Amino acid sequence: MEQKLARELIQVKNLKKYFPVKEGILQRVKDYVKAVDDVSFVVREGETLGMVGESGCGKTTVGRTMLRLIEPTAGSVIIDDKDVLKLSGQEMKTMRRNMQIIFQDPYASLDPRMPIGDSVMEGLQIHNVGTSKERYEIMLDTLKKVGLEDYHAKRYPHEFSGGQRQRIGIARALALRPKFIVCDEPVSALDVSIQSQVLNILKDLQQEFGLTYLFIAHNLSVVEHISNRVAVMYLGKMVELADRDELFAKPLHPYTRALMSAIPIPDPSLKRERLILKGDVPSPLNPPTGCRFHPRCPIAKSICSQEQPEFREVYPDHWVACWEAK
């Protein structure tokens, strides 16, 4: 109940991101890849909103567009009553203190020539936080919060394991004490044992600092472990959004049901009925008419290929875009 009463920290309205496809010597725009097409949702203060879907469905593009690492084609992202997409350069710099990102590949996001202590302090220096001594103390304190020691600050990225590098990535995002962090598949490249450690660090930090997460992932078991609510995306569209427990107990969209059926059960005596989807994911360059899932949907009707279903609230706080959902 507390989650439902929490303040809406972020409101994403009709967000679109189309990437131009160019051809010829003059590089004329031939068409557009509709990576994110008219997506709307809210993120409540202090919650973790999980976002799942197949590769190429637009999850990462949503996260990066919200932070303006990628400029959107249309829509609005309102954080603390300010539309991030309309802020000027200096206003945007100030806003960036409140929103950070943890990248999927921690090694690629770290400067190999810079000691990790300097990498963690870089954001503090850019935003003129405190004196050099205070920045150093914040850096050491932040490293300890993610399970690293003082002596690690002088080491370089190549001297760390994958799990340790991801801890460094978390420390960099945490150093400025933001309100909102986009976690872009932060554990997908890690061993299972290390995944649990990193997830527990994220949960502990959320409780300590009141952080709000957008947690992007493929692994539904991970999403179930860490999320309060879960959003399901397919081919640039959001098809379902609900409380975690309700979504896993009662998925309404056929695509969500197919995803749930693929979750392995850790008991060899139990078997789950698999829903195998036919065909491949269509190209976002030329998406199907009507509901984008209808070519692969086992319950598709004629209206599904003709009209796009509205993203509507079927039950309290349970949203779905499907003509057959009841």
Side-chain angles (χ1 to χ4, degrees):
M1 182 62 71
E2 290 181 7
Q3 280 297 332
K4 293 188 177 181
L5 297 175
R7 180 174 73 97
E8 293 179 355
L9 178 67
I10 302 168
Q11 298 173 342
V12 178
K13 299 179 181 177
N14 308 115
L15 188 64
K16 296 181 181 180
K17 178 57 188 177
Y18 297 171
F19 292 99
V21 177
K22 301 178 181 179
E23 67 175 4
I25 298 173
L26 299 177
Q27 289 292 285
R28 289 196 175 97
V29 176
K30 174 189 174 185
D31 211 335
Y32 290 92
V33 173
K34 297 178 180 178
V36 178
D37 195 8
D38 201 19
V39 168
S40 300
F41 60 94
V42 299
V43 187
R44 295 172 184 141
E45 192 169 32
E47 80 164 349
T48 299
L49 176 64
M51 187 169 282
V52 299
E54 292 171 283
S55 295
C57 71
K59 306 183 300 295
T60 296
T61 305
V62 168
R64 296 193 177 206
T65 307
M66 288 172 68
L67 303 182
R68 269 183 76 179
L69 296 179
I70 302 173
E71 290 294 332
T73 303
S76 63
V77 178
I78 299 168
I79 301 179
D80 273 345
D81 301 322
K82 293 182 180 178
D83 191 343
V84 174
L85 309 183
K86 293 182 179 178
L87 297 180
S88 65
Q90 187 57 45
E91 291 173 326
M92 191 63 217
K93 181 180 177 181
T94 304
M95 176 61 80
R96 286 201 188 282
R97 285 193 60 172
N98 292 322
M99 49 188 203
Q100 294 291 311
I101 185 169
I102 301 168
F103 292 99
Q104 179 178 358
D105 184 352
Y107 191 60
S109 63
L110 293 169
D111 187 338
R113 300 165 298 177
M114 185 183 289
I116 64 108
D118 291 350
S119 290
V120 174
M121 285 192 293
E122 191 174 19
L124 299 170
Q125 292 168 343
I126 290 171
H127 290 278
N128 297 316
V129 176
T131 63
S132 58
K133 182 179 179 182
E134 288 170 338
R135 289 194 288 266
Y136 189 76
E137 292 297 324
I138 292 172
M139 179 269 292
L140 293 180
D141 180 58
T142 306
L143 288 180
K144 285 180 181 175
K145 288 190 184 303
V146 298
L148 297 173
E149 301 297 333
D150 292 2
Y151 60 84
H152 286 132
K154 298 189 186 314
R155 294 187 178 178
Y156 290 83
H158 71 272
E159 299 180 75
F160 294 92
S161 68
Q164 288 176 318
R165 286 180 197 143
Q166 198 56 280
R167 290 169 191 251
I168 297 164
I170 295 170
R172 288 180 72 195
L174 186 67
L176 286 164
R177 302 295 185 263
K179 295 179 181 178
F180 172 59
I181 298 179
V182 174
C183 305
D184 185 11
E185 301 193 38
V187 297
S188 62
L190 306 179
D191 293 338
V192 175
S193 59
I194 306 300
Q195 283 185 16
S196 61
Q197 294 175 18
V198 172
L199 290 173
N200 289 332
I201 287 173
L202 289 171
K203 292 183 81 169
D204 291 343
L205 292 173
Q206 184 175 40
Q207 290 183 347
E208 184 175 351
F209 296 105
L211 298 171
T212 303
Y213 294 143
L214 175 67
F215 192 90
I216 299 166
H218 283 108
N219 191 327
L220 285 163
S221 299
V222 168
V223 170
E224 185 178 16
H225 174 70
I226 198 171
S227 301
N228 301 105
R229 291 187 303 143
V230 181
V232 182
M233 287 195 65
Y234 182 81
L235 207 63
K237 289 276 190 185
M238 193 169 287
V239 296
E240 192 162 3
L241 172 63
D243 177 78
R244 172 197 62 194
D245 295 335
E246 183 171 343
L247 188 80
F248 278 81
K250 188 181 177 182
L252 297 179
H253 198 282
Y255 177 63
T256 311
R257 290 187 201 130
L259 289 180
M260 299 297 178
S261 75
I263 303 174
I265 302 174
D267 185 344
S269 64
L270 297 175
K271 290 194 175 182
R272 194 193 302 270
E273 184 182 350
R274 282 296 310 273
L275 300 175
I276 307 298
L277 297 176
K278 58 186 179 183
D280 297 319
V281 181
S283 169
L285 189 62
N286 185 25
T289 57
C291 174
R292 296 191 173 181
F293 185 61
H294 85 264
R296 305 174 71 195
C297 182
I299 60 170
K301 301 288 191 293
S302 59
I303 190 174
C304 300
S305 61
Q306 297 164 11
E307 295 184 40
Q308 189 168 285
E310 179 189 0
F311 192 61
R312 58 196 169 91
E313 191 173 20
V314 179
Y315 298 107
D317 207 32
H318 193 152
W319 300 72
V320 67
C322 179
W323 291 110
E324 295 295 307
K326 298 174 183 176

